[in-house]
């Protein structure tokens, strides 16, 4: 009963943090997309507005009314009593995401953070590595922003892509595949929140203080703040992909999962570029088409190099060896392969994937998957085979599935 109550508590906390995180992220992403659209959609104002210091304006209709939006070079003739700031959308998203990271991956490190045959097998050291990974990534990003590279957009983007690629490869060496995807997303999300905290907000405070005192503002600082905001805009879709990837084991359990993450993220950022150009009135369908084509190509390459495909080939090639091993094992334990697989399912699968899990920390079967028989395992072949081949499953490997037993499951499953 105590384990059940603890499992229920974790599930409720997971729900609360995840719900708040999603709502906050919607608000942040919505504001980011809106203001980039707004800034890029501003057009030259009529002369009478320009004489009042208006840099650009825009007319829109929404919610049953017509809106007039204007952006000033510096400030209006009379500063408003109430000026709306946009910061807590970013802060609450990052804070709730950090809470979710602690709840799921730090308090349950052996289950979710530690990977099969990764460099770090200690839950405690895995948590230390996680914190260092995120903070180190943040420090490196801030350092790059302060180099001359920032003035060369394409070169800076190329360096940033190299940093993210290296981070993805390193994360897969350190953590479980699922956790690796999330950590790359968490690192980039920390960059984005840091852009707001370290760059955008300080620049805006100095700008408001200057124009309120009729002083010349630091236009370079404001331009830098806008650049940080633009970075956030392009990084948004890759981050969302990383955060949703935990639902798709065929991605993070792939043989080249670290590279899949980079390729898909790059296509998403490239697709975002189409819409940013569109806001400026520049329509280039080839960008959107190439982004979509890239995703299709990735899917095709993944199918060819998937763990399921490789496992099937290996099973065919090594079938004689596996049969011999199973025969040797059956001498000591005289059971058929089907019976052995049934035993393995009962020991290594049903502790979590049961209607009422017996594994502490689980109030319900992960992802709602019930696997308490060989028939149910075979029905989940598309998801189970990559998870077994990559070593991601059994989650946490609580009952120490051996390499021979894993090979037996993979061989049996590949023939179903």
């Amino acid at each position: 009963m105590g384990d059940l109550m603890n499992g229920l508590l974790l599930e409720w906390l997971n729900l609360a943090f995840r719900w708040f995180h999603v709502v906050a992220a919607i608000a942040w992403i919505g504001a980011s997309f809106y203001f980039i659209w707004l800034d890029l959609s501003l057009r030259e104002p009529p002369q009478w507005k320009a004489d009042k210091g208006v840099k650009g304006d825009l007319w829109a209709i929404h919610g049953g009314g017509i809106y007039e939006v204007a952006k000033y070079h510096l400030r209006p003739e009379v500063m408003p009593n109430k000026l709306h700031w946009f910061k807590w959308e970013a802060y609450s998203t990052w804070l709730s995401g950090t809470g979710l990271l602690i709840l799921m991956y730090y308090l349950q490190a052996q289950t979710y953070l530690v990977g099969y045959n990764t460099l770090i097998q200690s839950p405690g050291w895995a948590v230390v590595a996680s914190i260092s990974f995120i903070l180190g990534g943040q420090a490196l990003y801030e350092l790059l922003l302060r180099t001359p590279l920032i003035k060369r957009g394409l070169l800076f983007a190329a360096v940033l892509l190299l940093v993210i690629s290296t981070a993805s490869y390193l994360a897969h060496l350190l953590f479980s595949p699922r956790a690796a995807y999330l950590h790359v997303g968490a690192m980039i999300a920390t960059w984005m929140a840091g852009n707001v905290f370290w760059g955008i907000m300080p620049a805006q405070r100095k700008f408001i203080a200057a124009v309120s005192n009729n002083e010349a503002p630091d236009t370079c600082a404001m331009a830098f703040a806008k650049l940080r905001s633009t970075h956030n805009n392009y990084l948004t879709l890759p981050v969302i992909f990383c955060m949703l990837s935990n639902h798709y084991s065929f991605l993070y359990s792939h043989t080249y999962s670290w590279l899949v993450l980079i390729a898909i993220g790059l296509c998403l950022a490239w697709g975002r570029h189409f819409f940013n150009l569109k806001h400026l009135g520049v329509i280039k369908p080839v960008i959107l088409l190439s982004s979509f084509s890239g995703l299709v190509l990735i899917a095709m390459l993944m199918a060819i190099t998937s763990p399921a495909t490789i496992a099937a080939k290996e099973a065919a090639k090594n079938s004689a060896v596996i049969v011999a091993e199973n025969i040797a094992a059956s001498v000591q334990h005289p059971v058929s392969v089907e019976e052995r697989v049934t035993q393995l399912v009962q020991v290594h699968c049903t502790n979590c994937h049961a209607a009422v899990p017996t594994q502490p920390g689980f109030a319900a079967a992960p992802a709602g998957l019930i696997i308490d028989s060989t028939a149910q395992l075979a029905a989940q072949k598309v998801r189970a085979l990559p998870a077994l081949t990559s070593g991601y499953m059994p989650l946490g490997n609580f009952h120490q599935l051996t390499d021979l037993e894993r090979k037996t499951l993979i061989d049996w499953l590949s023939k179903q």
Side-chain angles (χ1 to χ4, degrees):
M1 182 61 69
D3 289 338
L4 177 61
M5 294 303 295
N6 289 334
L8 286 171
L9 176 61
L10 286 174
E11 293 290 353
W12 275 107
L13 288 173
N14 184 354
L15 172 62
F17 273 97
R18 195 176 299 275
W19 180 87
F20 185 83
H21 182 58
V22 169
V23 172
I26 290 172
W28 185 15
I29 294 166
S32 173
F33 280 13
Y34 172 75
F35 277 104
I36 288 292
W37 168 83
L38 176 62
D39 200 65
L40 296 177
S41 299
L42 292 172
R43 298 297 180 260
E44 186 176 347
Q47 190 58 47
W48 67 271
K49 284 188 177 181
D51 293 339
K52 293 179 177 292
V54 174
K55 181 179 181 180
D57 68 352
L58 175 140
W59 293 79
I61 182 169
H62 183 74
I66 296 176
Y67 293 80
E68 178 187 7
V69 183
K71 179 180 180 179
Y72 288 84
H73 282 283
L74 294 177
R75 53 162 288 176
E77 295 175 338
V78 178
M79 287 293 287
N81 293 326
K82 179 66 175 179
L83 186 62
H84 294 278
W85 295 69
F86 293 83
K87 57 181 179 179
W88 282 109
E89 296 87 349
Y91 298 162
S92 57
T93 301
W94 188 85
L95 289 171
S96 58
T98 300
L100 197 56
L101 177 67
I102 293 172
L103 177 68
M104 293 298 298
Y105 289 88
Y106 291 179
L107 297 183
Q108 303 177 82
Q110 183 61 57
T111 302
Y112 293 107
L113 189 58
V114 175
Y116 173 73
N117 283 341
T118 51
L119 295 180
I120 301 177
Q121 291 297 301
S122 164
W125 282 112
V127 171
V128 172
S130 170
I131 297 172
S132 301
F133 180 88
I134 295 172
L135 294 183
Q138 175 64 24
L140 180 58
Y141 176 72
E142 288 294 328
L143 178 64
L144 288 173
L145 287 174
R146 288 160 175 77
T147 66
L149 286 173
I150 198 63
K151 297 179 181 179
R152 304 179 65 181
L154 289 178
L155 182 58
F156 185 85
V159 172
L160 213 58
L161 178 61
L162 178 61
V163 170
I164 297 173
S165 299
T166 303
S168 178
Y169 185 77
L170 178 61
H172 280 79
L173 292 178
L174 298 175
F175 313 117
S176 70
R178 172 176 166 175
Y181 267 53
L182 183 133
H183 273 72
V184 175
M187 181 191 72
I188 300 175
T190 302
W191 293 356
M192 296 169 66
N195 278 333
V196 176
F197 185 81
W198 302 110
I200 296 172
M201 291 306 300
Q204 289 182 166
R205 292 192 188 98
K206 292 178 181 179
F207 177 83
I208 292 300
V211 298
S212 297
N213 296 322
N214 292 316
E215 299 173 355
D218 186 349
T219 55
C220 290
M222 289 303 291
F224 194 24
K226 182 180 178 180
L227 180 62
R228 283 180 179 262
S229 181
T230 303
H231 283 187
N232 283 1
N233 184 263
Y234 280 97
L235 293 172
T236 295
L237 295 184
V239 166
I240 295 175
F241 162 69
C242 289
M243 297 311 176
L244 294 179
S245 65
N246 66 302
H247 296 286
Y248 305 102
S249 59
F250 77 96
L251 292 175
Y252 58 74
S253 293
H254 192 270
T255 308
Y256 302 103
S257 56
W258 73 272
L259 192 56
V260 169
L261 187 158
I262 300 303
I264 294 179
L266 185 60
C267 287
L268 294 175
W270 180 236
R272 183 65 208 160
H273 186 56
F274 166 82
F275 292 98
N276 288 342
L277 289 180
K278 182 175 178 291
H279 301 332
L280 289 169
V282 179
I283 310 297
K284 291 189 175 182
V286 67
I287 295 178
L288 207 56
L289 181 61
S290 59
S291 176
F292 178 75
S293 299
L295 292 173
V296 172
L297 179 61
I298 292 167
M300 294 172 63
L301 292 174
M302 284 182 65
I304 297 173
T305 58
S306 71
T309 303
I310 295 174
K313 292 179 180 179
E314 287 296 318
K317 185 171 63 176
N318 299 325
S319 58
V321 176
I322 295 174
V323 167
E325 290 174 335
N326 287 332
I327 292 174
S330 65
V331 171
Q332 299 177 356
H333 306 283
V335 294
S336 67
V337 173
E338 189 73 25
E339 290 174 324
R340 289 196 68 204
V341 171
T342 299
Q343 292 172 355
L344 293 174
V345 168
Q346 294 297 322
V347 173
H348 300 284
C349 301
T350 57
N351 58 317
C352 297
H353 291 283
V356 181
T358 58
Q359 182 62 41
F362 291 89
L369 295 179
I370 305 297
I371 304 177
D372 56 12
S373 69
T374 55
Q376 290 171 327
L377 178 62
Q380 296 296 330
K381 174 181 177 179
V382 174
R383 302 176 71 175
L385 196 50
L388 281 167
T389 305
S390 67
Y392 183 66
M393 286 294 174
L395 195 64
N397 202 13
F398 299 109
H399 299 293
Q400 300 301 306
L401 181 72
T402 66
D403 290 339
L404 174 58
E405 291 169 338
R406 186 179 298 276
K407 285 166 60 180
T408 300
L409 284 172
I410 292 172
D411 179 57
W412 178 87
L413 199 54
S414 64
K415 296 176 182 177
Q416 301 306 305

